[in-house]
Amino acid sequence: MSKPFEGVINIDVRNSVPDWGPYEQPQAPKGAPNVLFIVWDDVGFGAMEPFGGIIETPTMNRLADDGLRYSQFHTTALCSPTRACLLTGRNHTTVGMACVEEATTGFPGTSGRIPPETATLAEILVERGYNTYAVGKWHLTPEEESNQSSSKRNWPTDRGFERFYGFMGGETNQWYPDLFYDNHMVDPPSTPEEGYHLSQDLADQAIKMIRDAKQIAPDKPFFMYFCPGCAHAPHHVFKEWADKYKGKFDEGYEKYREATLERQKRMGLLPKETSLTPLNPLTGEKGPDGQDWPELDTVRPWDSLSDDEKRLFTRMAEVYAGFVSYTDHQIGRLIDFLEQIGQLDNTIVVAISDNGASGEGGPNGSVNENLFFNGMPDDIKANLKMIDELGGVNTYNHYPTGWAAAFCTPFKMFKRYAAYSGGTCDMLIISWPKGTKGRGIRHQYHHVVDIVPTVLDCLNMSLPESVKGYTQWPIEGVSMRCTFDDAFAPTRKDAQYYSMLGSRGIWRDGWKASTTHPTLSGWGHFDQDRWELYHVDEDRSESRDLADAHPEKLEELKALWYASAGRFRGLPVDDRTVLEILGSPRPQPTEPMERYVYFPGTDPVPEAVAPVILNRSFKVGAVADVPEEGGEGILFQEGTRFGGHVLYMKDGYLKYAYNFVGLETTIVSSREKVPGGSKIILAAVFDREGEKPPGVAFGTLSLFVNEEKVGEGRIRTQPGRFGLGTYCTVGRGHGQGVTEDLPGKSPWAFNGTIDRVAIDLSGRQYVDLEKEARAVMART
């Protein structure tokens, strides 16, 4: 509530007394520190130098040397949930973020919508006199609300951030990102050929935002939420950065794990008695209906690989390492800038990874991660052909599960697994030179929900009773500040609950219970899960199962898990497969229609709210004026070169290209050039004839100019989706082209005039639709 007016108002202003109190901007206390969150993506505990890895990160080293490293810091095992905890101080299911935003369901814990009763740190600080900035990955808006027709209630600028520059989804192409500036999409400022990379762009924008305000009010503090896309797939980086690691991974992931564990022990990160867990700790585990442990989450032993496979897997690790080092270098520019303007010493820097290293590349790795989201395996032979392209514009690459296990040394499993520390035990560095005397390593058990209460404690603030008129739910984390200057201060945590994609765990007083349940498996039957028990105060790597030795302790913790799941809105538990989850119905801006109409000059339309053309018949038609000299450019595009389709003109010919998951691109062309003229209907019509294998439709794609069929060919369509963060555009492309056959240079704008593009799913004959379209045009 604003302050009441306390001046005096008379008829004559000369006899009146002003009071600016109700209208003054919020003022932070003098000398209040800045707050900078740096959120790495998919960086395992044993990847970077400060935590025993070999990936060179001078900036993280610098922050660690000037501050604290936490060896028992935990996350949720997945990105959106961790980020929601980080910004709110509540458990992920409390704030509706049980999974990623592409996997929302109609239950309180999995709605994907952070309740207003759980304000973000930005919403708190912006009303306390802070400038607030979000840069990079957001991934906290439901996919079905990340469009221009939707309320912006869950966009960054409605959740306390005054400025936003970054991408809305879980991942993006580092060379051709899907960029938003505040609430609208923008093109990258340059191209890869001109030296563009997203990590550099984000650092540029972060520096600019701080400079914009500091040049006006140098003493006004800021809160910046800086989230590069690194090191989530695709692992994109300049070749010279990947080449810095040539030979560094040649001995394989088993040797990497052994050497990393020894370094971690020497550094004091882990007790001397810590044991290395097996590469495949749960191989042989069976589901309730006799299912095998999913092959996707297994590791192929290094000695079982061919020489070519070792060469491929090694290069994938080199590219990943180069990506991390390059991004660390860009973050270093931001840190250097803060030092140059005299702000670094009084900035609370919190650097974390949102979860463990990612196993989404499967046992063979991938040159196109989109295969994972379509439930399709990679082909080693095809991947080998792309070895020299890894990290470049022609790949959407991801390393194999062996490196995921290695970068999570010494723990079991990796990202997605909340039951084990491979998914949840992650890097945490806190640096605040002006506010802390302590330096070195801290071993207290903490969780990402503890960051907000820690920051508020450092700022001498408490959670407001209400924010934006909403009474606030209690913070569920505890402050870590007592550990800053006292390495032996006991943790203030009593318990911590975990749940992710069917994987479950619970920690209390140094003991942890975990389920042996694979994520995304479809096993179900959670009441039949086998539980393991670990005394993690003594067995940090969770290598000694004590379930048989302490059955009463196990039952106590299992009961606590169910109580916690009820308290924190953690039910129901969901372990469905990727295709089942991504294909679940969700709220849409409108009721399903038979026809969708799009216009040029508008923001790209996300695939999540676009017509679903996969595995069905469809028609795409543009009404356009074609120049007499011949049409050139894109009429309609959806997707990218890693999966998508495009209707376009080249050299006067009408063409349609379907890119099947980046594996093959089929191009259908008109037999003759299209004559120039106005209000010409240019269309592609797919008639589905069947599917093989299941979910992959095949049939005939016909091209039409007005009523005349001018070309045809055979295509097959993807089973799942074109990707995460893919869009539809009219009259131009977006990002990277679906095919190399496109005319000219990006964005391949159409040289004529497009009135509209329609997508029809009705199943009616094309000629009927063409006549209907002409009748509509005659009336307009």
Side-chain angles (χ1 to χ4, degrees), residues 41-75:
D41 204 326
D42 293 2
V43 175
F45 184 81
M48 292 182 179
E49 287 177 322
F51 291 87
I54 68 168
I55 299 178
E56 297 174 6
T57 51
T59 305
M60 294 301 106
N61 294 350
R62 174 185 180 182
L63 294 173
D65 290 344
D66 285 342
L68 303 166
R69 284 171 289 165
Y70 284 80
S71 69
Q72 288 202 84
F73 175 76
H74 293 77
T75 63

mmCIF file of all heavy atoms in Angstrom, residues 41-75:
data_model
loop_
_atom_site.group_PDB
_atom_site.id
_atom_site.type_symbol
_atom_site.label_atom_id
_atom_site.label_comp_id
_atom_site.label_asym_id
_atom_site.label_seq_id
_atom_site.Cartn_x
_atom_site.Cartn_y
_atom_site.Cartn_z
ATOM 1 N N ASP A 41 23.997 -24.185 -16.799
ATOM 2 C CA ASP A 41 22.993 -25.165 -17.202
ATOM 3 C C ASP A 41 23.676 -26.511 -17.489
ATOM 4 O O ASP A 41 24.598 -26.574 -18.313
ATOM 5 C CB ASP A 41 22.289 -24.664 -18.468
ATOM 6 C CG ASP A 41 20.905 -25.241 -18.652
ATOM 7 O OD1 ASP A 41 20.698 -26.410 -18.277
ATOM 8 O OD2 ASP A 41 20.022 -24.534 -19.161
ATOM 9 N N ASP A 42 23.256 -27.569 -16.808
ATOM 10 C CA ASP A 42 23.759 -28.924 -17.084
ATOM 11 C C ASP A 42 25.272 -29.066 -16.865
ATOM 12 O O ASP A 42 25.954 -29.764 -17.623
ATOM 13 C CB ASP A 42 23.424 -29.345 -18.523
ATOM 14 C CG ASP A 42 21.931 -29.528 -18.753
ATOM 15 O OD1 ASP A 42 21.152 -29.286 -17.822
ATOM 16 O OD2 ASP A 42 21.550 -29.903 -19.880
ATOM 17 N N VAL A 43 25.802 -28.410 -15.861
ATOM 18 C CA VAL A 43 27.224 -28.558 -15.527
ATOM 19 C C VAL A 43 27.322 -29.433 -14.286
ATOM 20 O O VAL A 43 26.895 -29.045 -13.208
ATOM 21 C CB VAL A 43 27.891 -27.192 -15.274
ATOM 22 C CG1 VAL A 43 29.332 -27.397 -14.818
ATOM 23 C CG2 VAL A 43 27.857 -26.345 -16.541
ATOM 24 N N GLY A 44 27.850 -30.629 -14.429
ATOM 25 C CA GLY A 44 27.943 -31.558 -13.312
ATOM 26 C C GLY A 44 28.957 -31.137 -12.262
ATOM 27 O O GLY A 44 29.831 -30.292 -12.506
ATOM 28 N N PHE A 45 28.877 -31.765 -11.093
ATOM 29 C CA PHE A 45 29.724 -31.429 -9.952
ATOM 30 C C PHE A 45 31.204 -31.553 -10.288
ATOM 31 O O PHE A 45 32.025 -30.740 -9.847
ATOM 32 C CB PHE A 45 29.377 -32.358 -8.781
ATOM 33 C CG PHE A 45 30.107 -32.064 -7.504
ATOM 34 C CD1 PHE A 45 29.676 -31.058 -6.662
ATOM 35 C CD2 PHE A 45 31.219 -32.812 -7.135
ATOM 36 C CE1 PHE A 45 30.356 -30.781 -5.476
ATOM 37 C CE2 PHE A 45 31.898 -32.555 -5.956
ATOM 38 C CZ PHE A 45 31.467 -31.530 -5.120
ATOM 39 N N GLY A 46 31.578 -32.547 -11.089
ATOM 40 C CA GLY A 46 32.988 -32.799 -11.362
ATOM 41 C C GLY A 46 33.479 -32.288 -12.694
ATOM 42 O O GLY A 46 34.432 -32.844 -13.253
ATOM 43 N N ALA A 47 32.869 -31.227 -13.220
ATOM 44 C CA ALA A 47 33.263 -30.725 -14.541
ATOM 45 C C ALA A 47 34.302 -29.611 -14.462
ATOM 46 O O ALA A 47 35.353 -29.668 -15.098
ATOM 47 C CB ALA A 47 32.033 -30.242 -15.305
ATOM 48 N N MET A 48 34.035 -28.591 -13.646
ATOM 49 C CA MET A 48 34.871 -27.396 -13.614
ATOM 50 C C MET A 48 36.039 -27.535 -12.642
ATOM 51 O O MET A 48 35.982 -28.285 -11.671
ATOM 52 C CB MET A 48 34.041 -26.180 -13.212
ATOM 53 C CG MET A 48 33.014 -25.735 -14.222
ATOM 54 S SD MET A 48 32.187 -24.244 -13.600
ATOM 55 C CE MET A 48 31.068 -23.890 -14.950
ATOM 56 N N GLU A 49 37.054 -26.726 -12.864
ATOM 57 C CA GLU A 49 38.249 -26.725 -12.020
ATOM 58 C C GLU A 49 37.957 -26.517 -10.528
ATOM 59 O O GLU A 49 38.541 -27.226 -9.694
ATOM 60 C CB GLU A 49 39.217 -25.636 -12.498
ATOM 61 C CG GLU A 49 39.921 -25.970 -13.798
ATOM 62 C CD GLU A 49 40.797 -24.825 -14.262
ATOM 63 O OE1 GLU A 49 40.392 -23.656 -14.103
ATOM 64 O OE2 GLU A 49 41.898 -25.104 -14.777
ATOM 65 N N PRO A 50 37.086 -25.588 -10.135
ATOM 66 C CA PRO A 50 36.900 -25.365 -8.690
ATOM 67 C C PRO A 50 36.335 -26.571 -7.952
ATOM 68 O O PRO A 50 36.400 -26.622 -6.719
ATOM 69 C CB PRO A 50 35.927 -24.183 -8.639
ATOM 70 C CG PRO A 50 36.024 -23.516 -9.956
ATOM 71 C CD PRO A 50 36.332 -24.606 -10.930
ATOM 72 N N PHE A 51 35.802 -27.546 -8.692
ATOM 73 C CA PHE A 51 35.236 -28.736 -8.057
ATOM 74 C C PHE A 51 35.926 -30.014 -8.529
ATOM 75 O O PHE A 51 35.339 -31.089 -8.515
ATOM 76 C CB PHE A 51 33.728 -28.775 -8.297
ATOM 77 C CG PHE A 51 33.001 -27.683 -7.548
ATOM 78 C CD1 PHE A 51 32.850 -26.421 -8.107
ATOM 79 C CD2 PHE A 51 32.524 -27.902 -6.264
ATOM 80 C CE1 PHE A 51 32.226 -25.404 -7.403
ATOM 81 C CE2 PHE A 51 31.896 -26.891 -5.550
ATOM 82 C CZ PHE A 51 31.744 -25.637 -6.121
ATOM 83 N N GLY A 52 37.169 -29.876 -8.951
ATOM 84 C CA GLY A 52 37.992 -31.034 -9.260
ATOM 85 C C GLY A 52 38.009 -31.460 -10.701
ATOM 86 O O GLY A 52 38.730 -32.404 -11.053
ATOM 87 N N GLY A 53 37.243 -30.819 -11.556
ATOM 88 C CA GLY A 53 37.240 -31.162 -12.975
ATOM 89 C C GLY A 53 38.420 -30.560 -13.700
ATOM 90 O O GLY A 53 39.234 -29.820 -13.123
ATOM 91 N N ILE A 54 38.509 -30.848 -14.998
ATOM 92 C CA ILE A 54 39.641 -30.315 -15.772
ATOM 93 C C ILE A 54 39.223 -29.197 -16.712
ATOM 94 O O ILE A 54 40.073 -28.644 -17.417
ATOM 95 C CB ILE A 54 40.352 -31.421 -16.576
ATOM 96 C CG1 ILE A 54 39.449 -31.950 -17.709
ATOM 97 C CG2 ILE A 54 40.812 -32.541 -15.667
ATOM 98 C CD1 ILE A 54 40.202 -32.821 -18.709
ATOM 99 N N ILE A 55 37.938 -28.844 -16.737
ATOM 100 C CA ILE A 55 37.500 -27.773 -17.631
ATOM 101 C C ILE A 55 37.938 -26.436 -17.035
ATOM 102 O O ILE A 55 37.573 -26.092 -15.910
ATOM 103 C CB ILE A 55 35.984 -27.820 -17.856
ATOM 104 C CG1 ILE A 55 35.590 -29.157 -18.502
ATOM 105 C CG2 ILE A 55 35.557 -26.656 -18.746
ATOM 106 C CD1 ILE A 55 34.101 -29.317 -18.727
ATOM 107 N N GLU A 56 38.707 -25.696 -17.821
ATOM 108 C CA GLU A 56 39.309 -24.457 -17.328
ATOM 109 C C GLU A 56 38.254 -23.345 -17.250
ATOM 110 O O GLU A 56 37.612 -23.005 -18.242
ATOM 111 C CB GLU A 56 40.453 -24.045 -18.249
ATOM 112 C CG GLU A 56 41.583 -25.065 -18.272
ATOM 113 C CD GLU A 56 42.649 -24.740 -19.292
ATOM 114 O OE1 GLU A 56 42.567 -23.651 -19.905
ATOM 115 O OE2 GLU A 56 43.556 -25.570 -19.489
ATOM 116 N N THR A 57 38.106 -22.795 -16.040
ATOM 117 C CA THR A 57 37.122 -21.737 -15.803
ATOM 118 C C THR A 57 37.763 -20.664 -14.915
ATOM 119 O O THR A 57 37.485 -20.582 -13.721
ATOM 120 C CB THR A 57 35.863 -22.304 -15.121
ATOM 121 O OG1 THR A 57 36.269 -23.070 -13.961
ATOM 122 C CG2 THR A 57 35.087 -23.209 -16.056
ATOM 123 N N PRO A 58 38.621 -19.823 -15.480
ATOM 124 C CA PRO A 58 39.316 -18.814 -14.674
ATOM 125 C C PRO A 58 38.380 -17.904 -13.884
ATOM 126 O O PRO A 58 38.714 -17.498 -12.765
ATOM 127 C CB PRO A 58 40.113 -18.023 -15.720
ATOM 128 C CG PRO A 58 40.274 -18.948 -16.878
ATOM 129 C CD PRO A 58 39.040 -19.797 -16.897
ATOM 130 N N THR A 59 37.214 -17.589 -14.464
ATOM 131 C CA THR A 59 36.292 -16.696 -13.762
ATOM 132 C C THR A 59 35.695 -17.376 -12.548
ATOM 133 O O THR A 59 35.607 -16.779 -11.463
ATOM 134 C CB THR A 59 35.175 -16.227 -14.711
ATOM 135 O OG1 THR A 59 35.768 -15.619 -15.868
ATOM 136 C CG2 THR A 59 34.261 -15.231 -14.017
ATOM 137 N N MET A 60 35.276 -18.649 -12.701
ATOM 138 C CA MET A 60 34.753 -19.367 -11.549
ATOM 139 C C MET A 60 35.849 -19.583 -10.504
ATOM 140 O O MET A 60 35.595 -19.499 -9.296
ATOM 141 C CB MET A 60 34.162 -20.706 -11.984
ATOM 142 C CG MET A 60 32.921 -20.594 -12.876
ATOM 143 S SD MET A 60 31.528 -19.701 -12.144
ATOM 144 C CE MET A 60 31.607 -18.137 -13.053
ATOM 145 N N ASN A 61 37.074 -19.832 -10.945
ATOM 146 C CA ASN A 61 38.200 -19.951 -10.008
ATOM 147 C C ASN A 61 38.362 -18.667 -9.206
ATOM 148 O O ASN A 61 38.563 -18.693 -7.981
ATOM 149 C CB ASN A 61 39.505 -20.220 -10.764
ATOM 150 C CG ASN A 61 39.527 -21.568 -11.458
ATOM 151 O OD1 ASN A 61 38.657 -22.396 -11.247
ATOM 152 N ND2 ASN A 61 40.533 -21.777 -12.287
ATOM 153 N N ARG A 62 38.288 -17.564 -9.897
ATOM 154 C CA ARG A 62 38.454 -16.260 -9.249
ATOM 155 C C ARG A 62 37.380 -16.032 -8.186
ATOM 156 O O ARG A 62 37.687 -15.604 -7.060
ATOM 157 C CB ARG A 62 38.390 -15.165 -10.314
ATOM 158 C CG ARG A 62 38.408 -13.747 -9.774
ATOM 159 C CD ARG A 62 38.224 -12.758 -10.911
ATOM 160 N NE ARG A 62 38.239 -11.381 -10.446
ATOM 161 C CZ ARG A 62 38.057 -10.335 -11.240
ATOM 162 N NH1 ARG A 62 37.856 -10.520 -12.553
ATOM 163 N NH2 ARG A 62 38.060 -9.105 -10.741
ATOM 164 N N LEU A 63 36.124 -16.319 -8.532
ATOM 165 C CA LEU A 63 35.036 -16.142 -7.567
ATOM 166 C C LEU A 63 35.200 -17.093 -6.385
ATOM 167 O O LEU A 63 34.949 -16.718 -5.238
ATOM 168 C CB LEU A 63 33.694 -16.364 -8.257
ATOM 169 C CG LEU A 63 33.309 -15.338 -9.327
ATOM 170 C CD1 LEU A 63 32.032 -15.770 -10.045
ATOM 171 C CD2 LEU A 63 33.131 -13.942 -8.720
ATOM 172 N N ALA A 64 35.616 -18.328 -6.675
ATOM 173 C CA ALA A 64 35.808 -19.299 -5.601
ATOM 174 C C ALA A 64 36.942 -18.879 -4.674
ATOM 175 O O ALA A 64 36.840 -19.008 -3.440
ATOM 176 C CB ALA A 64 36.088 -20.681 -6.188
ATOM 177 N N ASP A 65 38.013 -18.356 -5.246
ATOM 178 C CA ASP A 65 39.151 -17.924 -4.431
ATOM 179 C C ASP A 65 38.788 -16.734 -3.551
ATOM 180 O O ASP A 65 39.349 -16.558 -2.455
ATOM 181 C CB ASP A 65 40.338 -17.562 -5.322
ATOM 182 C CG ASP A 65 40.963 -18.780 -5.988
ATOM 183 O OD1 ASP A 65 40.689 -19.916 -5.536
ATOM 184 O OD2 ASP A 65 41.691 -18.596 -6.980
ATOM 185 N N ASP A 66 37.853 -15.910 -4.038
ATOM 186 C CA ASP A 66 37.418 -14.735 -3.280
ATOM 187 C C ASP A 66 36.212 -15.031 -2.401
ATOM 188 O O ASP A 66 35.642 -14.108 -1.808
ATOM 189 C CB ASP A 66 37.061 -13.588 -4.235
ATOM 190 C CG ASP A 66 38.300 -12.933 -4.834
ATOM 191 O OD1 ASP A 66 39.390 -13.124 -4.274
ATOM 192 O OD2 ASP A 66 38.166 -12.247 -5.863
ATOM 193 N N GLY A 67 35.805 -16.294 -2.331
ATOM 194 C CA GLY A 67 34.605 -16.609 -1.587
ATOM 195 C C GLY A 67 34.577 -18.036 -1.090
ATOM 196 O O GLY A 67 35.576 -18.563 -0.599
ATOM 197 N N LEU A 68 33.427 -18.678 -1.274
ATOM 198 C CA LEU A 68 33.167 -19.983 -0.682
ATOM 199 C C LEU A 68 32.680 -20.968 -1.741
ATOM 200 O O LEU A 68 31.956 -20.598 -2.669
ATOM 201 C CB LEU A 68 32.096 -19.857 0.403
ATOM 202 C CG LEU A 68 32.402 -18.869 1.538
ATOM 203 C CD1 LEU A 68 31.135 -18.590 2.336
ATOM 204 C CD2 LEU A 68 33.503 -19.410 2.447
ATOM 205 N N ARG A 69 33.096 -22.222 -1.575
ATOM 206 C CA ARG A 69 32.568 -23.324 -2.386
ATOM 207 C C ARG A 69 31.831 -24.283 -1.450
ATOM 208 O O ARG A 69 32.345 -24.622 -0.379
ATOM 209 C CB ARG A 69 33.697 -24.071 -3.090
ATOM 210 C CG ARG A 69 34.280 -23.365 -4.283
ATOM 211 C CD ARG A 69 35.530 -24.077 -4.770
ATOM 212 N NE ARG A 69 36.639 -23.904 -3.836
ATOM 213 C CZ ARG A 69 37.740 -24.635 -3.849
ATOM 214 N NH1 ARG A 69 37.880 -25.609 -4.725
ATOM 215 N NH2 ARG A 69 38.709 -24.395 -2.979
ATOM 216 N N TYR A 70 30.674 -24.741 -1.897
ATOM 217 C CA TYR A 70 29.876 -25.663 -1.077
ATOM 218 C C TYR A 70 29.900 -27.049 -1.712
ATOM 219 O O TYR A 70 29.554 -27.223 -2.884
ATOM 220 C CB TYR A 70 28.440 -25.146 -0.951
ATOM 221 C CG TYR A 70 28.336 -23.990 0.018
ATOM 222 C CD1 TYR A 70 28.692 -22.707 -0.375
ATOM 223 C CD2 TYR A 70 27.919 -24.188 1.332
ATOM 224 C CE1 TYR A 70 28.623 -21.645 0.519
ATOM 225 C CE2 TYR A 70 27.843 -23.127 2.232
ATOM 226 C CZ TYR A 70 28.205 -21.862 1.820
ATOM 227 O OH TYR A 70 28.136 -20.818 2.713
ATOM 228 N N SER A 71 30.295 -28.038 -0.932
ATOM 229 C CA SER A 71 30.450 -29.394 -1.450
ATOM 230 C C SER A 71 29.189 -30.237 -1.315
ATOM 231 O O SER A 71 29.115 -31.319 -1.889
ATOM 232 C CB SER A 71 31.602 -30.097 -0.723
ATOM 233 O OG SER A 71 31.250 -30.346 0.631
ATOM 234 N N GLN A 72 28.208 -29.754 -0.546
ATOM 235 C CA GLN A 72 26.950 -30.489 -0.388
ATOM 236 C C GLN A 72 25.765 -29.571 -0.685
ATOM 237 O O GLN A 72 24.818 -29.488 0.096
ATOM 238 C CB GLN A 72 26.822 -31.061 1.020
ATOM 239 C CG GLN A 72 27.735 -32.232 1.296
ATOM 240 C CD GLN A 72 27.228 -33.076 2.449
ATOM 241 O OE1 GLN A 72 26.371 -33.954 2.275
ATOM 242 N NE2 GLN A 72 27.748 -32.831 3.636
ATOM 243 N N PHE A 73 25.860 -28.909 -1.818
ATOM 244 C CA PHE A 73 24.754 -28.069 -2.278
ATOM 245 C C PHE A 73 23.932 -28.864 -3.276
ATOM 246 O O PHE A 73 24.487 -29.534 -4.153
ATOM 247 C CB PHE A 73 25.281 -26.795 -2.925
ATOM 248 C CG PHE A 73 24.197 -25.941 -3.527
ATOM 249 C CD1 PHE A 73 23.370 -25.184 -2.717
ATOM 250 C CD2 PHE A 73 24.009 -25.900 -4.901
ATOM 251 C CE1 PHE A 73 22.364 -24.404 -3.265
ATOM 252 C CE2 PHE A 73 23.014 -25.122 -5.464
ATOM 253 C CZ PHE A 73 22.185 -24.368 -4.639
ATOM 254 N N HIS A 74 22.619 -28.778 -3.174
ATOM 255 C CA HIS A 74 21.749 -29.629 -3.984
ATOM 256 C C HIS A 74 20.686 -28.831 -4.738
ATOM 257 O O HIS A 74 20.279 -27.748 -4.309
ATOM 258 C CB HIS A 74 21.077 -30.684 -3.106
ATOM 259 C CG HIS A 74 22.040 -31.688 -2.555
ATOM 260 N ND1 HIS A 74 22.871 -31.403 -1.496
ATOM 261 C CD2 HIS A 74 22.337 -32.969 -2.932
ATOM 262 C CE1 HIS A 74 23.628 -32.458 -1.226
ATOM 263 N NE2 HIS A 74 23.331 -33.411 -2.096
ATOM 264 N N THR A 75 20.272 -29.400 -5.852
ATOM 265 C CA THR A 75 19.219 -28.817 -6.684
ATOM 266 C C THR A 75 18.109 -29.855 -6.860
ATOM 267 O O THR A 75 18.105 -30.891 -6.205
ATOM 268 C CB THR A 75 19.787 -28.411 -8.053
ATOM 269 O OG1 THR A 75 20.251 -29.599 -8.734
ATOM 270 C CG2 THR A 75 20.930 -27.424 -7.902
#
